[in-house]
Amino acid sequence: MSEGHKHGPECKEVFALLSQYLDHELPEADCAEIDRHMAGCEPCIAFLNSLRRTVELCHGYAPVEQPAPLDAAVKQRLLDTYRRMVAARDAR
Ligand SMILES: [Zn+2]
């Protein structure tokens, strides 16, 4: 019997944390923990591939030129852009 990676509860935890990734509410320590798990779990890696940008943000990949965190104004701007896109779509 080969003792491989235990795919189960741990993955669920990681998935749960991913939503926090998106909200930028994940402490660096948890980031490292997820990173560890991802290193040995292909399904999770595949899943995370689509969220890679967010992960990079989480790891502080952002250039020094943009030290400011996401503040309310920026968030609203993003929402505004999103709304526009949706509106344009509905207009068709
Ligand atoms: Zn996993």
Side-chain angles (χ1 to χ4, degrees), residues 5-7 10-11 14 37 41 43-44:
H5 165 72
K6 284 181 188 173
H7 193 83
E10 206 179 321
C11 290
V14 170
H37 177 82
C41 189
C44 282

Side-chain angles (χ1 to χ4, degrees), residues 11 14 16-17 20 24 30 53 55-56 58 61 63 70 75-76 90-91:
C11 290
V14 170
L17 286 176
Q20 289 185 298
H24 295 275
D30 285 330
R53 269 196 200 166
V55 175
E56 284 176 358
C58 194
Y61 261 73
L70 268 189
K75 260 190 183 176
Q76 185 141 9
D90 282 349

Side-chain angles (χ1 to χ4, degrees), residues 14-89:
V14 170
F15 281 8
L17 286 176
L18 283 179
S19 66
Q20 289 185 298
Y21 258 92
L22 293 175
D23 289 338
H24 295 275
E25 286 175 357
L26 197 65
E28 284 253 343
D30 285 330
C31 271
E33 205 172 301
I34 288 182
D35 218 38
R36 258 189 176 183
H37 177 82
M38 291 296 170
C41 189
E42 277 189 38
C44 282
I45 291 171
F47 179 79
L48 195 68
N49 255 346
S50 58
L51 300 176
R52 224 191 159 181
R53 269 196 200 166
T54 314
V55 175
E56 284 176 358
L57 279 177
C58 194
H59 279 276
Y61 261 73
V64 191
E65 298 159 21
Q66 298 181 0
L70 268 189
D71 80 316
V74 176
K75 260 190 183 176
Q76 185 141 9
R77 219 173 159 187
L78 283 174
L79 264 177
D80 224 51
T81 305
Y82 181 72
R83 271 190 187 175
R84 270 194 193 172
M85 284 175 64
V86 173
R89 226 169 142 197

